[in-house]
Amino acid sequence: MRAEIVSVGTELLLGQIVNTNAQYLSRGLAELGIDVYYQTVVGDNMDRLLETIRLARTRADLLVFTGGLGPTMDDLTRDAVAAYLGRGLTVHEPTMKKLEDMFSSRGGAWIESNRRQALLVEGATPLRNATGLAIGNALTADGTHYVLLPGPPREMKPMFDNEASEWLRGLLGPSAVLHSVMMRFAGIGESALEDSLIDLIREQTDPTIAPYAKEGEVIIRVSTKAADAGEAARKLEPTLAEIRRRTERYLYAEEDIPVEEAVLRLLVGHGRTLALAESCTGGMAAEMITALPGSSEAFLGGVVSYTNGVKRGILGVPEALLEGAGAAGAVSAETAAAMAEGVREAAGADFGVSVTGVAGPSESEGKPVGLVYLGLAERGRPTRTEKLQLSGDREGIRIRASKRLYYMLWLALTGRQ
């Protein structure tokens, strides 16, 4: 089955909200074994909606709409589908009662336009809205399937997961569904990783290999269609094994988690603790790990040492390293090492990791934008440093430096450094 996702709302075209629904639906449909070939965004306009439906029907078996099911006159999705199919609209009485009861309990005056949220395209299966008011629709006409979902993600997601997916499974019957393994890499760029796997990518048939990049990390999705998890594992394993063999130093997980989560799991599993000292990243690395549940089991704390005074006074970086004739400067391997050692000792942690550099937009100490030094102090072992020359804007440099810091720690925790 081929699908097209149609997101309805002028606010999407104006950039007032981000279209997260299309991403969520693409993943969900793929898991059902339904291929999404197109995503379309159309405004709240009847003529353009009708034209979108006409075009989508020429290239998809399934049209999944989000948005346009609300109470106002510019909520046109159900009206457009009904008009295109030459069908009427009927009232879904349970939804109508839900609306009336809600207004009655709140003591508000009934607004007739709310009736629109209880309308179904004639002949449609109602899709229950557990978290909102507007009823969803699912129907088949002339060999094409239509699913109409609300726009707010808090309503759309549970309706798709619990109502629409069940309806679609009924259409599909027993069939192969998409099974994927997300392989996550750090410490290597997208082009370098792709080059190491280029023959596998060029010759792929089944499984398929799809690389894509995030700031500071690279992801490879390896996918196959199979009737069950056992069959999928048998089909995927030879390809996964070959990728592992070629990329062992950079492959930190075979599930969709960021590198800082992989590090946190190792720290907790080994009973080790971490403290951070950050300059150019301004606390970003600490935010990454504290955003994870359970981080308090391993992360003791951090210092944002943005000035030389804080580097000296709190982390104990020697004055001679920071200022004066012949000083290495705040952006140097020596300062990174002293920061890592200082924060480890201050916190009493097993690991102290530091980052200092020039995030931009201009040079500092005569050193170029993107020059970054990392330090890693480990209890009972010599302190290590790493020099990076990163590209991109200020935000990108901060993200990549933070991710590289965690990759450096991952190497240490896995004995690869």
Side-chain angles (χ1 to χ4, degrees):
M1 186 181 291
R2 298 167 301 165
E4 179 159 346
I5 296 168
V6 181
S7 302
V8 182
T10 301
E11 67 276 11
L12 295 168
L13 295 172
L14 294 175
Q16 294 172 341
I17 63 172
V18 178
N19 187 8
T20 59
N21 284 351
Q23 179 190 36
Y24 190 87
L25 288 170
S26 290
R27 288 182 178 177
L29 291 167
E31 289 171 2
L32 292 171
I34 298 172
D35 298 314
V36 177
Y37 286 178
Y38 297 94
Q39 294 181 5
T40 300
V41 180
V42 60
D44 302 307
N45 177 278
M46 179 62 80
D47 291 338
R48 288 192 285 275
L49 259 170
L50 289 170
E51 181 56 32
T52 297
I53 296 170
R54 290 189 192 99
L55 177 60
R57 277 204 67 220
T58 67
R59 58 194 188 189
D61 312 300
L62 168 66
L63 279 57
V64 181
F65 298 83
T66 63
L69 300 186
T72 64
M73 295 308 294
D74 64 353
D75 289 310
L76 297 170
T77 302
R78 66 175 76 81
D79 306 73
V81 173
Y84 181 80
L85 297 176
R87 299 190 182 191
L89 293 167
T90 62
V91 175
H92 183 246
E93 292 298 342
T95 299
M96 190 66 184
K97 186 176 187 307
K98 180 180 178 181
L99 287 162
E100 291 171 343
D101 289 348
M102 184 199 74
F103 273 84
S104 175
S105 66
R106 294 180 180 178
W110 172 256
I111 300 171
E112 186 60 27
S113 62
N114 278 291
R115 177 185 178 89
R116 292 176 53 76
Q117 296 181 91
L119 294 179
L120 284 173
V121 178
E122 187 178 0
T125 298
L127 303 177
R128 184 176 64 94
N129 191 335
T131 56
L133 297 174
I135 193 71
N137 290 235
L139 67 151
T140 301
D142 301 322
T144 302
H145 312 293
Y146 302 81
V147 172
L148 283 60
L149 304 170
R154 69 177 186 86
E155 298 180 33
M156 186 280 296
K157 291 178 180 180
M159 186 183 289
F160 175 78
D161 292 341
N162 302 320
E163 303 286 326
S165 292
E166 182 179 350
W167 186 80
L168 289 168
R169 287 190 188 97
L171 295 179
L172 295 166
S175 61
V177 299
L178 189 70
H179 296 261
S180 298
V181 173
M182 306 295 281
M183 307 184 83
R184 302 280 302 233
F185 302 84
I188 187 171
E190 182 182 22
S191 58
L193 181 61
E194 183 180 71
D195 187 63
S196 70
L197 304 172
I198 194 64
D199 58 313
L200 299 179
I201 294 170
R202 284 176 176 166
E203 297 166 9
Q204 64 178 306
T205 52
D206 184 15
T208 60
I209 303 170
Y212 53 103
K214 298 185 74 173
E215 286 281 14
E217 299 186 48
V218 187
I219 305 168
I220 287 181
R221 187 185 68 245
V222 186
S223 304
T224 188
K225 285 187 176 180
D228 55 51
E231 180 189 354
R234 288 190 295 273
K235 293 173 70 176
L236 290 168
E237 184 54 33
T239 301
L240 296 176
E242 182 59 20
I243 294 173
R244 290 186 203 111
R245 186 185 69 80
R246 300 187 190 190
T247 62
E248 181 184 9
R249 183 172 177 80
Y250 310 105
L251 175 62
Y252 70 81
E254 292 187 26
E255 58 182 303
D256 201 10
I257 61 171
V259 64
E260 60 269 20
E261 185 167 348
V263 165
L264 177 61
R265 291 181 185 183
L266 288 169
L267 287 168
V268 172
H270 295 167
R272 312 293 293 281
T273 54
L274 169 67
L276 296 173
E278 302 180 62
S279 183
C280 63
T281 51
M284 182 177 283
E287 195 282 330
M288 286 178 178
I289 196 166
T290 55
L292 301 172
S295 57
S296 60
E297 295 184 49
F299 181 59
L300 301 185
V303 175
V304 179
S305 54
Y306 219 56
T307 65
N308 284 351
V310 174
K311 290 180 177 72
R312 286 193 303 268
I314 295 180
L315 296 178
V317 179
E319 174 77 23
L321 280 181
L322 297 170
E323 297 173 1
V331 181
S332 65
E334 294 87 346
T335 295
M339 289 169 61
E341 291 164 358
V343 78
R344 192 198 71 75
E345 291 172 6
D350 295 304
F351 290 95
V353 185
S354 68
V355 53
T356 181
V358 186
S362 56
E363 293 183 350
S364 177
E365 301 180 340
K367 294 167 183 175
V369 173
L371 178 64
V372 172
Y373 290 91
L374 305 177
L376 190 151
E378 181 179 357
R379 191 188 304 274
R381 296 193 63 186
T383 298
R384 288 153 277 177
T385 62
E386 182 178 356
K387 177 182 178 181
L388 308 173
Q389 183 60 57
L390 304 174
S391 59
D393 61 12
R394 182 179 179 85
E395 186 72 0
I397 289 169
R398 292 174 67 225
I399 293 172
R400 286 192 287 277
S402 298
K403 292 289 187 179
R404 187 75 181 208
L405 175 154
Y406 283 111
Y407 172 65
M408 185 182 189
L409 185 52
W410 178 81
L411 289 173
L413 285 163
T414 55
R416 290 172 169 85
Q417 192 172 57

